[in-house]
Amino acid sequence: MTASEFRYLNAIERVKSEKGRAIMTDIAQKLCYARASVYKKLLALEQRGLIVKNAGKFVEMTKKGKEEYLAAQKFAGLCADILSEKSGLDKRFISHDAVEMACALSSRCRNALLNHSSIS
């Protein structure tokens, strides 16, 4: 999962928890992106099987999307712990960097970190 995909899925999850459902306009507003950009990315996420648009309007994560999002979220948390520990910075200030780090690492590095942590 890319950091961009993670940010979109996170926005979908946040909008849904705030409003009970997620629509493209609310997702665009949450991300501060233009609707046209959001439309293109949602189409790509739908083609990857990570989201589905119900009634052509409401955006929801698929089972696959939810699983990938939760796994990335968990790993980003581990990355935040590592970055915080090594840098001395509060985790609140490095969450963006932790997501970028989590999504940039190869599966080999990801597995090595998970195997050597208490989070696995």
Side-chain angles (χ1 to χ4, degrees):
M1 172 174 295
T2 67
S4 174
E5 290 170 336
F6 180 87
R7 280 190 292 279
Y8 272 83
L9 294 178
N10 187 54
I12 291 166
E13 192 70 12
R14 288 173 41 214
V15 167
K16 190 174 178 187
S17 71
E18 291 169 8
K19 298 189 174 201
R21 63 179 195 239
I23 59 173
M24 187 177 62
T25 303
D26 293 333
I27 297 164
Q29 187 175 19
K30 179 65 73 181
L31 292 167
C32 298
Y33 293 165
R35 282 176 38 107
S37 298
V38 172
Y39 176 80
K40 287 180 186 177
K41 189 63 170 189
L42 292 179
L43 187 60
L45 291 172
E46 191 172 31
Q47 290 170 343
R48 280 206 53 223
L50 300 178
I51 67 162
V52 63
K53 288 185 233 154
N54 295 326
K57 183 175 179 177
F58 304 112
V59 180
E60 290 193 44
M61 278 190 253
T62 61
K63 182 179 179 191
K64 175 185 176 185
K66 191 74 154 172
E67 288 171 355
E68 286 191 27
Y69 170 72
L70 291 174
Q73 188 178 46
K74 180 178 178 181
F75 188 64
L78 172 62
C79 290
D81 290 341
I82 292 168
L83 289 171
S84 179
E85 178 185 325
K86 298 298 182 186
S87 70
L89 296 171
D90 189 294
K91 282 194 274 187
R92 292 175 296 168
F93 303 117
I94 57 175
S95 62
H96 178 81
D97 294 322
V99 168
E100 294 289 330
M101 178 180 165
C103 294
L105 292 174
S106 69
S107 59
R108 183 173 59 179
C109 286
R110 203 170 27 252
N111 290 336
L113 284 172
L114 287 171
N115 289 334
H116 291 94
S117 74
S118 60
I119 251 183
S120 60

